Amino acid sequence: MVTVLVLLPTLIFPRSLFPLVFLPVFICASLLYPFTIGIAILRYRLWDIDLIINRTLVYGTLTVTLALVYFGLILSLQSLVHLVTGTISEQPLVIVASTLAIAALFQPLRRRIQRVIDRRFYRRKYDAARIVAAFSATLRHEVDLSQLSEQLMMVVEETMQPTHVSLWLRPPEHEGKQRALWRAIAPVSSEER
């Protein structure tokens, strides 16, 4: 298309100044595209390209899958209605049922596709998120500080795989001071008062 736009005026008017004016303008304009894309990436903080690629993969796959399911449902339901009723006319009930089925399938299918893409393309991030979720579940039940610090070090080693791990804990503020024991006093009933 661009070649036709460039060559057509040159072929129609061979001695015109069009190629001398249009070609430099066209070249400058085409060089502006990467520059404007770079400005958009910097200005709107689009450098987190992994997120864009992830969303493109998820929603692209989801769109294609839902479109195929929708058209498959419409064709199969129309065939079923035709076999049952014998009419060939378009059934609005078929379209409504297919649309409702697609609406019901959207969220579960999106979550399933997201998991598959995370497992396939973002393996380390997926594993790390799973390990951190498991660690947060153990945090709710564990109260021993030494046990928690060991588990935290294991989680850090599994998720980030550093060459060295160290955990620094601030000593308790009451160390060196005498601790007061906590005592529970039984509530006084209204009769004893």
Side-chain angles (χ1 to χ4, degrees), residues 147-164:
Q147 196 75 350
L148 275 176
S149 60
E150 287 176 24
Q151 288 179 356
L152 179 62
M153 303 243 309
M154 286 184 350
V155 166
V156 169
E157 285 176 357
E158 284 181 42
T159 55
M160 294 188 231
Q161 300 171 353
T163 56
H164 178 72

Side-chain angles (χ1 to χ4, degrees), residues 152-181:
L152 179 62
M153 303 243 309
M154 286 184 350
V155 166
V156 169
E157 285 176 357
E158 284 181 42
T159 55
M160 294 188 231
Q161 300 171 353
T163 56
H164 178 72
V165 175
S166 64
L167 178 64
W168 294 10
L169 296 173
R170 190 174 71 164
E173 291 183 19
H174 58 269
E175 197 165 316
K177 298 178 185 175
Q178 190 176 23
R179 287 193 249 171
L181 293 175

